[in-house]
Amino acid sequence: MTYSGGSTYFADDGAAYELFLGRWTRQLAERLLDFAQFSAEGALLDVGTGTGSLAFAMAQRWPARAVVGIDIAEPYVAYARTKSHSASPTFETGDAAKLPYGDGSFCGAAAQLMLNFVPDPAMAVREMRRVTTAGGTVAAAVWDFRGGLVFQRLFWDTAAGIDPRAGASRDRLFSASLALPDGLPDLFAQAGLAQIERDSITVRMDYADFNDYWEPLCGGQGPFGSYVAGLSGDLRGRIKEAVKSAYCSGAPDGERSLTATAWAVRATVP
């Protein structure tokens, strides 16, 4: 995921992404695998692997299987490779809309929190179907931006009251078709997948204090990072104080546990 012809997600620092979101995507990955119900054998593909949360979860759960993670962001792929100390998973750089694999190369393919950020998500799902063998499983998860992602609503709703540009960024994220309950099922149906099932997955984001919440937002990754990096010093300070007030909500600064919900869909290749 990076700003390029293949994505709209700014991604230039794997370590920053790990602090920003990777620590939470590892939780989501386990739950997505439970939901996907992949068959017991055969190679698996993690499309839009980022720093590798889902690919590592696949490899840990099925040590004997071949697992490949692919992402268009070279910095994320490079970071994931530093964390891989065995033959599986392997990590490659490539475009989700032009997967460099033959038809039916994998028994299952999944995309975690990626499809919102590719210019043509329908093509990406069709590619996932193409490289998955008949009878195999295709699965995906995207954040429920509108109704189930507290850490983002806390920031964007607060910032939007100060800076109209924050409102515009929020609206683009929260009104996109894949942010809605039927977004992923419709996308899978358009790709010709069968036996489509939808569910929601909720994890908790546990922050030690406000700085643990705020500092990762300043790492320059994704829509958050792009927006915060472009703020002037005064405006950034005003938004930070307002967001801190929302985070604390009248109580002393300290630990907070916020819910994060994703829409998940699985289907079968006919």
Side-chain angles (χ1 to χ4, degrees):
M1 296 179 291
T2 187
Y3 277 139
S4 72
S7 181
T8 60
Y9 193 100
F10 190 80
D12 66 352
D13 188 329
Y17 178 83
E18 275 291 290
L19 187 60
F20 167 54
L21 203 55
R23 51 183 171 165
W24 315 125
T25 60
R26 288 193 291 275
Q27 294 184 45
L28 183 63
E30 294 293 342
R31 301 287 300 279
L32 180 57
L33 291 183
D34 291 341
F35 170 74
Q37 297 181 5
F38 290 118
S39 62
E41 297 179 349
L44 297 173
L45 178 65
D46 174 14
V47 181
T49 189
T51 53
S53 291
L54 186 59
F56 282 119
M58 288 172 170
Q60 183 173 10
R61 187 170 295 202
W62 299 291
R65 302 175 77 164
V67 175
V68 178
I70 187 168
D71 200 289
I72 200 168
E74 292 183 5
Y76 285 7
V77 171
Y79 182 88
R81 285 172 176 161
T82 68
K83 301 299 181 180
S84 182
H85 304 295
S86 64
S88 181
T90 59
F91 294 98
E92 301 175 354
T93 303
D95 191 337
K98 300 176 183 178
L99 293 173
Y101 311 112
D103 296 356
S105 297
F106 300 89
C107 78
Q112 177 170 273
L113 308 182
M114 177 276 290
L115 290 171
N116 311 72
F117 301 107
V118 294
D120 189 348
M123 176 59 76
V125 175
R126 288 196 296 270
E127 278 291 274
M128 292 171 69
R129 174 190 168 173
R130 180 185 65 79
V131 302
T132 302
T133 189
T137 297
V138 174
V142 295
W143 286 131
D144 176 13
F145 283 102
R146 181 177 292 185
L149 199 55
V150 176
F151 92 108
Q152 292 223 16
R153 291 229 66 131
L154 188 152
F155 176 88
W156 289 118
D157 287 348
T158 303
I162 300 172
D163 180 11
R165 293 177 302 163
S169 295
R170 175 198 61 192
D171 294 349
R172 283 194 297 272
L173 285 171
F174 292 6
S175 65
S177 61
L178 289 183
L180 307 180
D182 291 332
L184 269 182
D186 289 347
L187 198 64
F188 274 44
Q190 292 167 23
L193 291 162
Q195 298 176 292
I196 299 169
E197 299 180 53
R198 183 192 68 199
D199 202 349
S200 62
I201 298 172
T202 298
V203 299
R204 300 205 71 91
M205 296 178 167
D206 297 318
Y207 296 98
D209 53 26
F210 176 69
N211 281 338
D212 190 32
Y213 169 88
W214 177 261
E215 291 303 322
L217 306 185
C218 303
Q221 306 307 295
F224 263 129
S226 301
Y227 171 74
V228 173
L231 293 173
S232 65
D234 177 66
L235 182 57
R236 180 170 174 166
R238 289 169 56 201
I239 289 174
K240 178 180 180 180
E241 287 306 308
V243 173
K244 183 175 182 179
S245 179
Y247 175 91
C248 292
S249 300
D253 188 10
E255 296 180 359
R256 298 292 188 276
S257 184
L258 309 180
T259 56
T261 299
W263 295 115
V265 170
R266 67 178 177 229
T268 302
V269 176

